[in-house]
Amino acid sequence: MMKLQLGVLFGGKSVEHDISIITAVQVMKNLDDTLYDIIPLYLDKDNLLLSSPYLKDLKTFQLGVPIDKKRCRVFLYKDQGGYKYRFLHKRCKNGAKIDLILPLVHGMGVEDGTVAGMLEMVGIPYTSAEVGPSALVQDKAWTKDVLKRHGIMCLPFIEVRSETVSDIPFSLPLILKPAHLGSSIGIEIIREYEELPEKISQILLYDDKAILEPLLTNFREFNCAVLKTNKGYTASEIEEIVMQNTFYAFSDKYEKNQTVELSKITGAGNRQIPAKIPIELKKEIEETTVKIAEVLDLKGIVRIDYLYDKDRENLYVNEINPIPGSLSFYLFEKKGLSFPELLNQLIKSTLIHHYQKQKKITSFSSSVLNKNNLINK
């Protein structure tokens, strides 16, 4: 049986660049090498696309191993032989085949539909959400507006685009978030109105807008992922984030009490999987997760993050992650789906979707260019 040639695309010009590397290395270590040949495709911090066997190894990045960008730089294209990648160096061979790409990028500038758009232009199959849904969910304000129209609860908010904010409809304390960043980067707690201008100014160094919300003080935080296959959506197990701070900060997610192995996340003492919750709340989280994926036409593996207000007993959608860190494999493992098999299902469903997509009409015959006087002299 011929192996599939899989491109694993990661990195990119994003503040979440390093998290993307971790996700990619974990995925590459868990792909079945009897079924797939792995082609690492690394976007460096200038968005140059590079490929080298050394890019499969986390030590390449940990030790700062130099990469010959002139010899490693590649581009993607399509010809009569199918989808291919080719090195730009003048001594490079003819293009090599590539069947499918797993985008494992995180954050604004890559995960927001930018990489999906690049792959759409080439026409190559890819395992994540398409351009429109990716762009939508990267913007927290847009996402809240769409979910609200579909009766899905989110916390109220206002958009912030400058240091001057007036008529805030919420009482203190507040939470200020960059509108497009993930991994809890840039989030600030506001306890005095006088703090706002400086905090906003700092966020606007990273993003062009922020959102301001009331801060819940008596709440629980849950995450649930969903996998899209040709049979529909399958929800993962639910995890509870055991809070050590007012919110789940970047350091809690990636730097504290945690050893990143190449195949697992271990020592993650701030996660409770499965979450110890009543069956009614479990059902609500699962059903809401699937509904969001259906409403937004999300594909691949997506994680939805929730806040549960214990005082009002309300469940709020906090954030949608179209390409979650580590692909949230650990949430599917708790339902009996191993990381390698999760990747197999993801790849199979992508190829089926791509085949169906190829059957759509993409051209239209017209005589408009033959009309007289089309261009005035």
Side-chain angles (χ1 to χ4, degrees), residues 15 175-179 181-189 199-200 202-204 206 210-211 247 249-250:
V15 294
I175 185 165
L176 184 69
K177 305 176 182 179
L181 303 188
S183 297
S184 300
I185 293 172
I187 292 179
E188 297 283 356
I189 304 300
K199 299 291 189 184
I200 294 170
Q202 288 299 310
I203 282 182
L204 294 180
Y206 291 90
I211 62 170
F247 64 93
F250 180 91

Side-chain angles (χ1 to χ4, degrees), residues 151-267:
I152 299 170
M153 291 184 66
C154 303
L155 284 168
F157 75 101
I158 59 172
E159 286 192 24
V160 178
R161 293 180 179 270
S162 70
E163 290 84 351
T164 304
V165 182
S166 58
D167 301 323
I168 299 173
F170 320 122
S171 57
L172 294 167
L174 306 171
I175 185 165
L176 184 69
K177 305 176 182 179
H180 302 100
L181 303 188
S183 297
S184 300
I185 293 172
I187 292 179
E188 297 283 356
I189 304 300
I190 308 299
R191 302 191 184 280
E192 301 291 340
Y193 290 117
E194 292 77 11
E195 299 174 356
L196 262 175
E198 182 181 351
K199 299 291 189 184
I200 294 170
S201 177
Q202 288 299 310
I203 282 182
L204 294 180
L205 295 175
Y206 291 90
D207 205 341
D208 58 1
K209 71 175 178 179
I211 62 170
L212 191 63
E213 301 174 344
L215 177 69
L216 295 180
T217 55
N218 186 25
F219 69 98
R220 298 170 74 180
E221 184 170 353
F222 303 108
N223 298 334
C224 184
V226 65
L227 168 67
K228 172 68 181 294
T229 71
N230 56 306
K231 296 180 181 179
Y233 291 97
T234 301
S236 73
E237 189 55 85
I238 299 166
E239 69 174 332
E240 179 171 8
I241 305 302
V242 181
M243 303 296 290
Q244 298 178 9
N245 293 314
T246 310
F247 64 93
Y248 196 33
F250 180 91
S251 59
D252 295 316
K253 289 182 178 180
Y254 301 113
E255 295 175 351
K256 290 182 180 177
N257 305 317
Q258 197 160 277
T259 300
V260 178
E261 291 186 4
L262 299 185
S263 59
K264 301 284 182 184
I265 295 177
T266 62

Side-chain angles (χ1 to χ4, degrees), residues 86-156:
R86 181 169 182 166
F87 290 88
L88 270 70
H89 194 272
K90 62 183 179 181
R91 295 182 180 177
C92 68
K93 300 177 182 179
N94 290 331
K97 181 184 176 185
I98 189 165
D99 294 305
L100 177 144
I101 287 182
L102 289 86
L104 301 173
V105 291
H106 302 315
M108 183 172 62
V110 281
E111 191 182 9
D112 56 359
T114 305
V115 164
M118 176 185 74
L119 299 176
E120 286 282 357
M121 290 291 289
V122 176
I124 191 167
Y126 59 97
T127 58
S128 61
E130 295 179 352
V131 178
S134 297
L136 172 67
V137 300
Q138 193 68 38
D139 188 304
K140 295 179 178 66
W142 290 356
T143 302
K144 285 172 176 282
D145 287 338
V146 172
L147 294 182
K148 184 178 179 181
R149 292 207 307 270
H150 288 274
I152 299 170
M153 291 184 66
C154 303
L155 284 168

